Amino acid sequence: MLYLIGLGLGDAEDITVKGLEAVRRCGRVYLEAYTSLLPAGREALEKFYGKELILADREMVEQEADSILKDADVSDVAFLVVGDPFGATTHSDLVLRAVNLGIPYRVIHNASIMNAVGCCGLQLYNFGETVSIVFWTDTWKPESFFDKIKKNRQNGMHTLCLLDIKVKEQSVENLMKGRKVYEPPRYMSVNQAAEQLLTIIQNRRLQGEEPEITENKICVGLARVGAQDQKIASGTLHQMSTVELGGPLHSMIVTGTMHPLELEMLKLFSVDSSTFENNAFQRNA
């Protein structure tokens, strides 16, 4: 049996009882280690689970999946995913490979950033399409995510922005030379995401467009959701570019039309309560 097990968002103890029992039954336990980050760290997980964890990076999952599935038809293998196995990042390919090999599988769910964002008080059914904001480079600065946020805003919907993670990435030079030398991990902050959105707004204005999303749009910054030191901040997009939220992982929400209860909740986390109401109520239409 192949088990795909969600670990939740905070620490080792966030795994479900059902998930923990499955982990302890398995002969091999893989920890997916490239799409998210659990603050507890690998060692804490191993201690709590009583199992050695095999780190599964992008290369292993995407190019060597057969090694993960080896002997899973005659023994139990677990594949652990931070959050939920089918939350922000799906692992459908692994399931399809297992099915094609005649290996049964079972999914054990857990909390994901996709539903845990409700901690800020915005109602989940008022969210539109989720977007990913990627790190820009000197030669690649996509703006497609901005148009999706704009479309959500036109429909009155909030937008959850998942921020880029770069783990075990190679530089162009090392990639071209075939050298397996990896760059240090990078995790996009709310500040960086906000700065890129502000740059796009300026670009659109230079093109003669007045974007619906402006510097004064109410946004929400979230850091380490589910952990004990979770942090939430609400304010304008401009304020998001300077707010201090600490270490990774970060997410950001660009709000749509807000219910009065949503506004009341966001006020609890406002960066500057004196300006929050003016910006929120003027633009909540």
Side-chain angles (χ1 to χ4, degrees):
M1 174 82 72
L2 170 68
Y3 288 92
L4 292 95
I5 302 172
L7 300 184
L9 299 168
D11 55 35
E13 296 178 0
D14 278 359
I15 191 171
T16 63
V17 173
K18 188 181 295 182
L20 182 58
E21 290 176 345
V23 166
R24 289 176 174 169
R25 283 198 305 271
C26 289
R28 296 198 315 279
V29 182
Y30 293 89
L31 174 62
E32 191 259 61
Y34 65 94
T35 61
S36 193
L37 170 76
L38 199 66
R42 175 183 175 183
E43 293 77 14
L45 297 182
E46 290 181 328
K47 183 177 179 181
F48 186 73
Y49 301 159
K51 283 281 186 179
E52 180 182 351
L53 303 183
I54 304 166
L55 288 183
D57 58 19
R58 184 186 298 275
E59 184 178 346
M60 175 182 283
V61 176
E62 295 182 354
Q63 300 176 28
E64 303 168 16
D66 289 344
S67 66
I68 296 173
L69 298 173
K70 184 181 179 182
D71 298 327
D73 55 337
V74 294
S75 62
D76 291 333
V77 175
F79 185 76
L80 310 184
V81 182
V82 176
D84 184 88
F86 292 97
T89 302
T90 64
H91 289 284
S92 303
D93 181 64
L94 196 60
V95 168
L96 293 172
R97 286 173 181 265
V99 171
N100 288 336
L101 292 170
I103 298 169
Y105 74 92
R106 184 178 181 188
V107 180
I108 300 176
H109 296 283
N110 210 318
S112 164
I113 190 62
M114 301 293 283
N115 58 4
V117 291
C119 64
C120 70
L122 295 176
Q123 297 167 4
L124 293 179
Y125 57 78
N126 286 338
F127 279 77
E129 181 180 356
T130 299
V131 306
S132 295
I133 299 183
V134 298
F135 280 114
W136 281 351
T137 68
D138 292 337
T139 58
W140 186 62
K141 297 183 179 181
E143 298 185 2
S144 57
F145 56 84
F146 186 85
D147 295 314
K148 292 180 179 179
I149 297 171
K150 176 182 173 182
K151 184 177 179 181
N152 282 342
R153 175 68 188 97
Q154 290 171 341
N155 292 326
M157 311 300 282
H158 311 312
T159 304
L160 170 61
C161 304
L162 302 178
L163 308 188
D164 204 3
I165 296 173
K166 297 291 188 187
V167 178
K168 210 173 180 183
E169 297 277 337
Q170 292 176 277
S171 67
V172 174
E173 180 183 354
N174 285 325
L175 194 61
M176 291 179 66
K177 292 184 177 180
R179 296 187 301 212
K180 292 203 172 184
V181 178
Y182 301 101
E183 300 294 299
R186 290 191 298 150
Y187 306 96
M188 182 180 284
S189 68
V190 164
N191 303 149
Q192 292 168 310
E195 286 288 356
Q196 289 187 186
L197 286 171
L198 290 169
T199 299
I200 293 172
I201 290 168
Q202 292 302 318
N203 290 343
R204 298 293 170 97
R205 285 184 177 141
L206 290 173
Q207 296 166 14
E209 176 187 339
E210 183 51 45
E212 290 187 37
I213 300 161
T214 70
E215 298 89 341
N216 294 321
K217 183 64 188 165
I218 293 296
C219 298
V220 186
L222 305 103
R224 302 171 303 285
V225 171
Q228 288 191 348
D229 63 345
Q230 164 181 300
K231 196 161 185 181
I232 304 171
S234 64
T236 64
L237 178 59
H238 184 265
Q239 287 171 329
M240 290 299 105
S241 68
T242 57
V243 68
E244 179 50 55
L245 293 176
L249 291 174
H250 289 194
S251 303
M252 190 170 74
I253 301 167
V254 180
T255 62
T257 303
M258 287 181 280
H259 185 279
L261 282 176
E262 292 181 301
L263 284 167
E264 287 298 316
M265 282 294 293
L266 287 193
K267 281 168 61 178
L268 299 177
F269 309 111
S270 60
V271 174
D272 182 351
S273 57
S274 63
T275 61
F276 178 84
E277 288 197 28
N278 288 336
N279 286 301
F281 287 99
Q282 284 176 9
R283 300 180 181 276
N284 188 37

